[in-house]
Amino acid sequence: MTVDEVVAIANQSLYTVIKVAAPVLLVSMAVGLIVSIFQTVTSIQEQTLTFVPKVLAIFMTLMLIGHWMMTEMSNLMINLWSDLASYVK
């Protein structure tokens, strides 16, 4: 296994991780921003207020796109395992 193959595998893996994690992180960030703006406007200074909306938003996001996320991760693993013989030579 050459260095180029290792770099290609790492590149493909990191790209998949970023692609799969990005929607959940963006939803969490957006909900946190909206709740922070709401707290600023209403002068509510409760730090735990952002927790429940973020958890609900992440749960809903995972329910909506969880199948796609699992498919992407499964495809990566299928590709890695199917090429295993060429990596071990």
Side-chain angles (χ1 to χ4, degrees), residues 2-3 7 15 25 27 32 34 40 57-58 63 66-67 69 81 83:
T2 66
V3 174
V7 170
Y15 177 72
L25 294 175
V27 166
I34 290 169
T40 302
I58 290 171
M63 291 294 293
H67 177 62
M69 293 170 71
W81 280 105
D83 296 338

Side-chain angles (χ1 to χ4, degrees), residues 19-71:
K19 184 169 63 169
V20 167
V24 177
L25 294 175
L26 290 174
V27 166
S28 175
M29 187 175 63
V31 169
L33 181 65
I34 290 169
V35 171
S36 294
I37 291 171
F38 174 75
Q39 284 180 320
T40 302
V41 169
T42 59
S43 298
I44 297 173
Q45 297 301 321
E46 180 63 34
Q47 293 180 359
T48 59
L49 183 64
T50 61
F51 181 72
V52 173
K54 277 187 183 182
V55 168
L56 292 175
I58 290 171
F59 178 72
M60 292 303 296
T61 303
L62 290 174
M63 291 294 293
L64 291 173
I65 65 168
H67 177 62
W68 170 79
M69 293 170 71
M70 192 57 129
T71 302

